[in-house]
Amino acid sequence: MAFVSSAPSSCFTSRNPLSLHPPNRSALRPLHPPPPPRTLRMSTSRRDSYNITLLPGDGIGPEIIAVAVDVLKAAAARHQVSLTFQSAHIGGVAIDNTGVPFPQETLQKCKSAHSILLACIGGPKWDSQPRGNRPETGLLSMRKDLQLFANLRPATVLPQLVDASPLKPHIVSGVDIMVVRELTGDVYFGIPKGLQIDPKTNERVGFNTMIYHAHEIQRIAHLAYQIAEKRGKQLVSVDKANVLDVSQLWRDIVTELSPQYSDVHLSHMYVDNAAMQLIRWPKQFDTILTGNIFGDILSDAASTLVGSLGMLPSACLGDGSGPGVFEPVHGSAPDIAGQDKANPIACVLSAAMLARYDLDRPDIADCIRQAVNDTLDAGFRTGDIMSPGMTLVGCKAMGEALVQRVQQKTTV
């Protein structure tokens, strides 16, 4: 199953990066006292009815989100919870219909919802768009406008799919990793950035700025510590402090917060070593904390352990004052769009994360996750996770099997 990656885009600026000088580190002083510890808050209180905004996006997006909605509805009904849905455009389909990848109407629908379920965006159809108006730019705009600073990417190797991993079973069996990635800072958002001509050499130059403010590191670190407390109490912070000043600040602040979480064991790892260790010995990791660009790379590397991007959900969270966005980590796969070949499980598991983190309904989340396990136990497989002796099904049939198992359960 082929997926299209969604690499973020950069914008143009007239500022000259060659005129910038590195700061004097000894002169840096905090302007304000550090903020108090941030807790992982739900965006809404527990209730019996919720409003969810759907962003089907491009390619296989409409197919997989339809399955996720069916499963979410069935699980909610088992717990006497009412769900209403409204749809909006993002990405390439938004460009086609409105001229921009993240229209204001979509933003308003997102802000008015209790939570947001996103499928996937992008595709070669829109590669000729100006860089500032490509589908991926809409994704970055959404994260910024909704103040979603934390990306949670679990990589869990299910026992039914150990053989689907490209690594040996004894390496991946039992792997359960949570990557906590900062989402609104770093080189993806740093200014200045762009493309220009160096006036001294008349040579083309491309540049991005890697930058983090202390409060950005503090808030994501607090969240990672709190997640580690609920998991295996092991936190690895990944940086490149041996060569990057911004990583040294990252390491300093993460370390300063450690005494507030005395039950969590903190260790540090350089990003190049972390990438190697994820493949060499992934079971050493429980919770990984890292910045935007390193997290983008490492979370995709971790996804390889599972065997298919079609199995991996994610959550984008803020401080709890507004809705989060929940989405599979894979791309829009335009080569199989409309062919009923897509694996909807990543989107279904994203809906489970939505129920847990945004709706404060772990009962619904557990119901969905159990249905996924039961369906895999029954041998149903889409093409990307197919193995001998299993039953090959398409996207719709996988959805029907999942809904059936939700409805048939006597206890959830």
Side-chain angles (χ1 to χ4, degrees):
M1 186 171 184
F3 292 102
V4 174
S5 65
S6 297
S9 57
S10 62
C11 300
F12 291 79
T13 179
S14 60
R15 295 184 61 181
N16 184 358
L18 304 181
S19 67
L20 298 177
H21 299 284
N24 179 0
R25 281 182 51 81
S26 63
L28 292 177
R29 295 290 184 270
L31 299 179
H32 304 285
R38 293 173 180 264
T39 58
L40 183 57
R41 294 195 295 119
M42 307 297 170
S43 70
T44 187
S45 58
R46 186 183 178 100
R47 57 177 66 203
D48 294 327
S49 63
Y50 302 91
N51 175 34
I52 298 171
T53 292
L54 304 175
L55 304 176
D58 309 315
I60 61 172
E63 301 169 65
I64 61 173
I65 207 168
V67 169
V69 168
D70 286 345
V71 176
L72 186 56
K73 282 181 177 178
R78 290 302 307 267
H79 295 275
Q80 294 77 51
V81 172
S82 173
L83 302 177
T84 58
F85 300 90
Q86 57 181 347
S87 296
H89 293 318
I90 190 173
V93 67
I95 295 172
D96 290 346
N97 284 275
T98 70
V100 295
F102 188 58
Q104 281 297 308
E105 180 183 357
T106 298
L107 175 60
Q108 294 309 313
K109 285 186 176 181
C110 288
K111 286 184 173 181
S112 68
H114 291 117
S115 191
I116 302 156
L117 184 63
L118 166 67
C120 46
I121 63 166
K125 175 182 177 181
W126 300 281
D127 284 349
S128 60
Q129 286 284 325
R131 185 166 295 276
N133 200 51
R134 292 183 184 175
E136 296 79 17
T137 306
L139 197 61
L140 296 184
S141 297
M142 178 183 66
R143 293 170 181 170
K144 201 72 172 180
D145 290 343
L146 297 176
Q147 301 180 41
L148 305 174
F149 65 84
N151 184 211
L152 310 186
R153 286 197 179 187
T156 304
V157 178
L158 300 178
Q160 304 94 329
L161 300 179
V162 168
D163 291 336
S165 174
L167 301 184
K168 294 179 179 179
H170 76 274
I171 293 177
V172 298
S173 180
V175 164
D176 182 6
I177 300 170
M178 177 68 80
V179 179
V180 182
R181 168 192 172 194
E182 201 287 326
L183 205 56
T184 57
D186 215 331
V187 295
Y188 293 167
F189 292 94
I191 293 174
K193 60 180 177 179
L195 300 170
Q196 67 179 50
I197 301 296
D198 180 354
K200 294 182 179 179
T201 64
N202 204 36
E203 183 181 18
R204 289 182 299 169
V205 133
F207 55 99
N208 291 85
T209 302
M210 176 179 268
I211 184 170
Y212 268 116
H213 294 86
H215 76 274
E216 295 175 309
I217 303 171
Q218 289 164 341
R219 66 185 181 184
I220 192 68
H222 278 304
L223 180 61
Y225 275 115
Q226 290 154 19
I227 288 173
E229 283 182 320
K230 293 178 172 62
R231 289 174 51 86
K233 303 185 186 303
Q234 301 286 326
L235 179 63
V236 177
S237 179
V238 176
D239 57 44
K240 193 63 176 171
N242 55 338
V243 293
L244 297 175
D245 285 344
V246 65
S247 278
Q248 186 60 58
L249 177 65
W250 179 282
R251 182 173 291 212
D252 291 347
I253 290 175
V254 172
T255 303
E256 289 166 6
L257 297 180
S258 180
Q260 299 182 35
Y261 302 92
S262 58
D263 56 339
V264 175
H265 177 264
L266 171 67
S267 59
H268 301 276
M269 192 174 288
Y270 295 141
V271 64
D272 44 353
N273 185 35
M276 178 185 71
Q277 296 294 337
L278 271 173
I279 305 304
R280 175 181 172 272
W281 183 29
K283 282 184 278 192
Q284 69 183 283
F285 296 103
D286 178 74
T287 305
I288 296 175
L289 164 66
T290 191
N292 205 344
I293 189 169
F294 296 157
D296 194 0
I297 297 166
L298 291 179
S299 57
D300 277 359
S303 72
T304 304
L305 306 172
V306 180
S308 172
L309 288 171
M311 295 297 301
L312 293 167
S314 75
C316 298
L317 305 176
D319 63 3
S321 61
V325 174
F326 301 82
E327 57 180 306
V329 305
H330 60 69
S332 61
D335 55 321
I336 61 169
Q339 300 177 38
D340 195 34
K341 294 181 178 180
N343 183 350
I345 291 180
C347 199
V348 170
L349 291 175
S350 296
M353 293 186 77
L354 179 155
R356 184 178 305 278
Y357 288 104
D358 249 8
L359 307 188
D360 194 20
R361 299 299 306 224
D363 49 353
I364 295 175
D366 291 341
C367 179
I368 293 173
R369 291 189 62 86
Q370 188 60 52
V372 170
N373 276 317
D374 291 347
T375 302
L376 293 175
D377 281 342
F380 292 95
R381 301 288 190 272
T382 49
D384 57 313
I385 53 174
M386 185 60 185
S387 59
M390 301 294 105
T391 302
L392 179 64
V393 295
C395 182
K396 291 180 180 179
M398 179 62 83
E400 291 167 357
L402 289 165
V403 169
Q404 184 179 34
R405 274 147 190 83
V406 169
Q407 295 173 337
Q408 285 180 344
K409 292 193 70 61
T410 55
T411 59
V412 291

